[in-house]
Amino acid sequence: MRLRPLARAGLAAALVTGVTGIAAAAPPALAAPVPAAAPALLAAPDIPLANVKAHLSQFASIAAANGGNRAHGRPGYLASVNYVKAQLDAAGFTTSVRSFTYGGATGYNLIADWPGGDTSDVLMIGSHLDSVSSGAGINDNGTGSAAILETALAVARSNFQPARHLRFGWWGAEELGLRGSTNYVSTLPAAERARITGYLNFDMVGSPNPGYFVYDGDNSDGVGAGPGPAGSARIEDSLEAYFASIGVPTRGTDFDGRSDYGPFIQYGIPAGGTFTGAEGRKTAAQVQLWGGTQTAFDPCYHRACDGLSNVSDTALDRNADAIAYSVWDLAQDGGTEPPPGNVVFADDFEAARGWTAGTGDTATAGRFERGDPAATSSGVATQLGTAASGTFDLVTGASAGASAGANDVDGGSTTIVSPAITLPAAASTLTFRWYLAHLNNASSADYLRVRVVAGSSATTVFSQAGAATDRAAAWQSASVSLAAYAGQTVRLSVEAADAGTASLVEAAVDDVRVTSG
């Protein structure tokens, strides 16, 4: 990472309990669901810390054998490229090494494409692979390079086949001014560059005195360099959702152009990523938030001591899993906002827009309501204290109560139904954010469902079943075709159930949107 100003702290969000009432009325009569549910999105795998650290050990060995560094134009950098390329080639990626010249020396970018997916909708994940000349560059930026390498290998191990095309990049000469990434983006033909619809950057994700910073995609912190291109907020939301699911608070950091997202946002490509801090000093407030000491986030920044001992295993593990979470999340739903002119219906639940809570609920507690949720946990996060966007969402019992199980769904099902939505003659698509959380006393009888109600019949278009395992609350995205209902007036019915033996079940839905075209 190049020298950069200290990342600013974001605003601390106070958790406010309480809900806004919803009129209680009987929902439309629901016929038995048509047994054609859209499959739930695949969950990201856990990224083994040991594997990430094994890559770091390789980078350290390469540096030790090549003058103590992996800098641009030095043999240690090319050896690092060859190591990463060999791993990816063996895993089934299509790789290419693209050379450029800077400062009289040849530099290299390594590009790796995972076969499949829509090549007109490319999600790219990148890190710089070079070090400064004074050291091995293990935190800066072996950590980012190793974490995205292991995420790529996890893609291969699971044979992940998302809707979007996945591309990974390792950049050269970042330490000399983003030279490799700039060369890559600026020399792509315009049509090829337009195919990259999102870029995730990971530069220093294992600092020994770490902070947990997420690039501020929508400028919601209100100061600094401003937001990223349209669509960057979706990336920010995805990364923040992961950290929220493990109970780690994050703070925003600016797109100040000092890492490899710079060339991408220059061309209007949505971007985001995480960062654990460089030479800046952790404040007293940040120590209270994250622990550590009021010293530099990385005391070995750009120094010879940036070796294997200069890494926080905890920060590296959390960030590697955050990377995988966002890759799986964003690659499956496209991750971009639809054009405003195509919106048929949208509700972010920041105002009451006529959803109806069903009086036919059989649940004795944890009924669906529009509310400002309070965070609850029982070993894992069971209810998130933040909505997917804004303050409010549809949630099963918004208040925390005396314990994690006080306001979860109990004793049956709970339903909430949208106002009438008149669909155009053209095909429409329903998208929404959701989570279903439960403990290992749940079963496959528990569920979260979304149905389309047309007249007196209802069709299940999305279903996520419970299981006898701990499942942490974490926002995910779903997309459902409504082409079968073109020209009809429909309602959306959201239902959650604790339908088996007594178990702890929580669910929420946010950012419901129907678009056409």
Side-chain angles (χ1 to χ4, degrees):
M1 171 165 282
R2 298 177 62 214
L3 190 64
R4 57 184 295 157
L6 176 62
R8 59 185 164 82
L11 299 177
L15 294 176
V16 182
T17 60
V19 300
T20 298
I22 301 176
L30 303 182
V34 175
L41 298 182
L42 296 174
D46 178 74
I47 300 300
L49 175 63
N51 292 8
V52 180
K53 292 187 69 177
H55 301 315
L56 290 182
S57 294
Q58 290 294 325
F59 294 149
S61 296
I62 288 169
N66 289 280
N69 67 70
R70 301 179 300 104
H72 168 71
R74 308 288 181 88
Y77 178 73
L78 184 56
S80 299
V81 171
N82 289 337
Y83 168 75
V84 176
K85 185 178 186 299
Q87 299 288 311
L88 297 164
D89 287 342
F93 281 81
T94 300
T95 63
S96 62
V97 177
R98 306 187 183 193
S99 64
F100 60 93
T101 301
Y102 180 73
T106 301
Y108 303 94
N109 292 325
L110 172 61
I111 308 300
D113 286 86
W114 181 239
D118 183 357
T119 56
S120 68
D121 186 7
V122 177
L123 178 64
M124 192 163 190
I125 305 94
S127 291
H128 77 85
L129 187 55
D130 64 315
S131 73
V132 292
S133 59
S134 58
I138 297 304
N139 184 41
D140 183 15
N141 181 39
T143 54
S145 293
I148 72 165
L149 171 57
E150 190 57 31
T151 299
L153 297 179
V155 167
R157 285 193 295 268
S158 63
N159 195 30
F160 184 39
Q161 296 294 333
R164 299 173 83 178
H165 181 76
L166 288 176
R167 179 176 298 160
F168 292 80
W170 287 263
W171 311 119
E174 186 271 356
E175 298 290 5
L176 301 179
L178 319 183
R179 302 300 174 178
S181 57
T182 297
N183 176 270
Y184 173 77
V185 179
S186 65
T187 60
L188 278 178
E192 289 299 313
R193 191 164 51 233
R195 294 174 181 271
I196 302 174
T197 53
Y199 174 69
L200 281 68
N201 189 71
F202 300 97
D203 189 352
M204 300 181 68
V205 296
S207 299
N209 186 30
Y212 293 89
F213 298 102
V214 176
Y215 288 107
D216 190 13
D218 58 0
N219 206 31
S220 56
D221 285 349
V223 295
S232 299
R234 173 68 179 89
I235 297 172
E236 179 188 13
D237 287 347
S238 182
L239 290 163
E240 287 182 339
Y242 176 75
F243 284 106
S245 76
I246 61 171
V248 175
T250 59
R251 293 294 182 259
T253 187
D254 286 319
F255 287 112
D256 55 12
R258 304 305 294 269
S259 192
D260 287 302
Y261 54 76
F264 290 87
I265 63 176
Q266 179 182 349
Y267 283 94
I269 296 170
T274 63
F275 168 55
T276 54
E279 81 291 356
R281 293 176 65 86
K282 186 178 284 188
T283 67
Q286 290 167 337
V287 169
Q288 185 174 10
L289 187 67
W290 295 315
T293 60
Q294 286 182 248
T295 56
F297 292 98
D298 181 358
C300 289
Y301 175 70
H302 284 188
R303 296 173 59 192
C305 57
D306 186 10
L308 289 172
S309 62
N310 190 49
V311 171
S312 163
D313 284 359
T314 298
L316 182 60
D317 191 24
R318 288 170 171 172
N319 276 274
D321 287 335
I323 293 167
Y325 175 90
S326 288
V327 169
W328 259 253
D329 177 31
L330 297 170
Q332 292 182 82
D333 82 336
T336 56
E337 296 292 332
N342 291 348
V343 175
V344 176
F345 172 84
D347 199 344
D348 59 5
F349 305 105
E350 297 310 293
R353 294 188 173 92
W355 289 70
T356 304
T359 58
D361 285 358
T362 58
T364 57
R367 295 184 176 188
F368 263 121
E369 56 189 330
R370 171 182 167 264
D372 179 357
T376 63
S377 64
S378 181
V380 297
T382 51
Q383 180 168 289
L384 298 180
T386 54
S389 65
T391 302
F392 293 85
D393 57 16
L394 296 182
V395 62
T396 52
S399 298
S403 66
N407 290 318
D408 69 310
V409 184
D410 280 327
S413 65
T414 175
T415 303
I416 194 164
V417 180
S418 76
I421 304 169
T422 300
L423 300 176
S428 300
T429 300
L430 165 66
T431 60
F432 55 93
R433 305 295 302 281
W434 66 277
Y435 67 77
L436 174 68
H438 50 70
L439 300 186
N440 58 15
N441 57 2
S443 73
S444 59
D446 306 323
Y447 60 81
L448 171 68
R449 292 176 184 163
V450 175
R451 299 180 181 184
V452 176
V453 182
S456 61
S457 64
T459 302
T460 299
V461 295
F462 171 89
S463 182
Q464 174 65 53
T469 184
D470 289 346
R471 179 188 179 117
W475 287 110
Q476 300 189 60
S477 301
S479 179
V480 175
S481 173
L482 299 182
Y485 302 94
Q488 299 182 44
T489 297
V490 301
R491 296 176 187 267
L492 304 175
S493 173
V494 179
E495 181 181 348
D498 174 11
T501 58
S503 52
L504 199 160
V505 175
E506 296 275 17
V509 168
D510 202 356
D511 294 340
V512 175
R513 190 183 293 254
V514 177
T515 58
S516 66

